[in-house]
Amino acid sequence: MTTHPLDPLTAGEIRQVAQIVRRDRGVGDRWRFASIELKEPAKAELPELAAGRETRREALAVCWNREDGQTYRAIVNLTENVVARWEHLPGVQPNMTVDEWHECDAMLRSHPDVVRALGRRGITDPSRVLADMWAYGAALVPPRYAGRRLGWCDLWHRGSERGNPYARHVTGLHPIVDLNSMTLLELEDNFEGDLADSFAGSGEAGVMGEYLPDLLPTRLREVAPLHVSQPEGAGFRLDGNLLEWQNWRLRIGFNHREGLVLHQVAFADSGRVRSVAHRLSFAEMVVPYRDASPDHYRRTAFDIGEWGLGFMTTSLERGCDCLGEITYLDAVLHDSRGEPVTVPNAICVHEEDSGVLWKHVDERAGAEVRRARRLVVSFHVTVANYEYLVYWRFYQDGGIECEVRATGVMVTSHIAAPGSRPANGTVVDRGIYAPFHQHFIVARLDLDVDGTDNTVCVTESRSAPLGGDDPYGLGLTVASTPLRTEAEGKQDYDWGTQRGWKVVNDNVRNALGAPVGYKLVPSGAIPPLLDPASPVLERAQVIGHTLWVTPYREDERWPCGDFPVQAARDTGLPAWTAGDRPIENTDVVLWYVFGIHHITRPEDWPVMPSDIVAFWLKPAGFFDRNPALDVPPSHQSPPGEHHH
Ligand SMILES: [Cu+2]
């Protein structure tokens, strides 16, 4: 199997990158690697590289020296075994690492000050304590610690060996840690309620925060078995990272930050392979907690820019996470020493039944019905207490659905006074509440509809005024307005006009004479509801609009900037779009902001039933008619029934 230029780095290549940087740049034991990933070739270079007429594998690595806190970014040429570029990045904090999270947890659990503070609350077994480390935004860093690499922490306590730590918040106790020296800088200890009651330390408190069957006070209900059977195997083919299913073909990619990446998504239309998207991924996730109390005011997570969906990816299990004929792909990441780490079964590929695709009952011809099937490419991430399950689904009619399920355990803390009702959250168990928060996800959609030169049009429905040749006021028109520059490309959701965005290629016409297009159907859009002066919005201006459109640039990847950790302002989309570049009939990238406005409920406790959001990319004049007319009828006898 030959390597495709978009294939993620192998374990060997990751090791080679670390070795080259150590050898040529004096990167020693006191350094950490924040990230090592494939440097994807620019779009224009891909054809030559893919055809093998050129060979070049490059990697991007970010590392820093813990002694002086200085950060460097390297481009490593693996083909020539050299550092091609070495860039010092003063004033920048790289992404958080899993190693720091674990080292911080271990350090705090054995720190005498922490042990003493826990003891005052009746917590004496440090093996049942969990320190969860979060990153800062610049505006919240105490001035005396400016310039340091910082983490602030929550402490949690398990009620039993396998108990849920996130059910028992040690409210009002927050260590602040220098991550480079891995030392405790200070221990905030400021709970204003009754200290003995400041964590749900005992069953007597009446809190039920467990979800393991043996820790539940109730018996499990009875459920009849349900099996998915594909006796002839799966209907897709995976050749290396190239995935082919019915008319769809795409390449699977993966990196530490975006997790799953879909490359070169195309649809074979009567034998003609037509491009739909060059690259689809999640580029940022911003989760502001909307509660200014001491426990929560710092809690704004950038799960992609700070932690990385790839680094947070967890292994999937057959029969639980996915049903049917499953093919799994492993993901190869690395630790902060630059040693490769494999996540087995990180990406799932499988087919699902999806109800009725189309149907009609004719008086003479009878019923004609087709079942829909979809190809699902998915991965799951666990970011401490929360999980995000990401599903990209490809349908037989040319539709692409991107669904996210949020589940896991909500962040909670104790109410200050018994019986009080918090203004910014919901009481979910005895004496504890879950603050309101929002999950903004930024999908980076590099669509190439029948080629690179595309235009995004905003489409809006309008009603005609009553009168003239429309005496009944029935007329409904659709205004389709091309977005010409980046300023026009900043778009907001509008239910009143059923606003949507159509990506058209004016250079290619369908059989009906209209430009071919794909429509971004804006569901799951949520408003920021933040004061324009709020530091959260300053760091994440992307969430101020539902859609941004930019011309493709190889190095414009991260909408809130390359390094959001401890950042003061957003150096991504607002900086790029400041020049108001033209976006008409060119290679456009769409940044779609959607997510979950999470007004917490008691039913979300102690583990959340999946909250589901999705958006769609649907062909709109891309095909000349329903592209799923050729789907054959399915004949399936119910088990036990025999036809003669
Ligand atoms: Cu939530």
Side-chain angles (χ1 to χ4, degrees), residues 386 437 439 598:
Y386 233 83
H437 57 277
H439 307 256
H598 196 169

Side-chain angles (χ1 to χ4, degrees), residues 287 289 386 388 406-407 410-411 435-439 596-600 604 608 611:
V287 187
Y289 282 73
Y386 233 83
Y388 297 101
T407 176
M410 295 183 299
V411 165
F436 305 142
H437 57 277
Q438 298 161 295
H439 307 256
I596 297 170
H597 187 72
H598 196 169
I599 303 303
T600 49
D604 293 334
M608 254 177 82
D611 204 343

Side-chain angles (χ1 to χ4, degrees), residues 307-583:
W307 293 99
L309 291 192
F311 282 140
M312 301 293 116
T313 295
T314 45
S315 295
L316 298 165
E317 205 174 313
R318 207 178 295 267
C320 304
D321 293 304
C322 345
L323 295 177
E325 284 294 309
I326 310 296
T327 298
Y328 286 122
L329 284 89
D330 296 345
V332 184
L333 300 156
H334 61 86
D335 64 17
S336 71
R337 291 168 300 135
E339 274 297 304
V341 173
T342 298
V343 182
N345 298 352
I347 302 166
C348 170
V349 182
H350 77 297
E351 286 175 288
E352 283 175 0
D353 179 81
S354 181
V356 170
L357 170 65
W358 56 259
K359 173 173 179 166
H360 183 58
V361 182
D362 178 83
E363 192 183 337
R364 293 188 184 170
E368 200 66 24
V369 56
R370 299 292 182 274
R371 284 207 73 81
R373 210 183 288 185
R374 58 195 188 193
L375 175 72
V376 188
V377 188
S378 62
F379 73 119
H380 292 183
V381 305
T382 299
V383 193
N385 55 302
Y386 233 83
E387 350 281 312
Y388 297 101
L389 323 180
V390 181
Y391 302 88
W392 289 92
R393 303 197 179 111
F394 296 87
Y395 288 79
Q396 291 158 307
D397 64 354
I400 302 173
E401 180 190 26
C402 174
E403 181 185 281
V404 177
R405 293 179 175 231
T407 176
V409 186
M410 295 183 299
V411 165
T412 52
S413 66
H414 283 74
I415 56 175
S420 69
R421 293 272 153 192
N424 308 125
T426 304
V427 172
V428 296
D429 207 326
R430 190 177 164 269
I432 64 175
Y433 79 103
F436 305 142
H437 57 277
Q438 298 161 295
H439 307 256
F440 294 92
I441 304 166
V442 186
R444 183 181 183 277
L445 309 171
D446 180 356
L447 297 193
D448 280 7
V449 178
D450 263 337
T452 54
D453 290 345
N454 293 171
T455 302
V456 183
C457 296
V458 53
T459 60
E460 295 185 287
S461 296
R462 289 179 187 155
S463 63
L466 189 146
D469 55 7
D470 186 5
Y472 309 110
L474 287 169
L476 185 71
T477 58
V478 175
S480 182
T481 315
L483 304 174
R484 297 170 199 281
T485 70
E486 287 175 310
E488 293 178 11
K490 294 176 193 174
Q491 291 281 314
D492 301 314
Y493 179 66
D494 185 354
W495 180 81
T497 65
Q498 289 294 293
R499 186 177 290 166
W501 298 282
K502 202 165 137 180
V503 183
V504 300
N505 188 332
D506 225 349
N507 318 292
V508 181
R509 303 272 155 167
N510 62 25
L512 309 164
V516 295
Y518 252 79
K519 189 168 181 178
L520 167 60
V521 183
S523 47
I526 57 172
L529 295 168
L530 282 163
D531 190 292
S534 100
V536 171
L537 201 54
E538 192 65 22
R539 288 176 76 198
Q541 291 184 42
V542 63
I543 67 175
H545 296 288
T546 311
L547 179 72
W548 301 59
V549 184
T550 58
Y552 165 82
R553 295 287 181 274
E554 187 192 349
D555 56 351
E556 292 182 1
R557 300 174 66 198
W558 311 116
C560 298
D562 291 1
F563 301 100
V565 172
Q566 284 175 230
R569 63 190 59 82
D570 186 334
T571 58
L573 274 170
W576 308 331
T577 58
D580 200 18
R581 295 169 295 187
I583 52 170

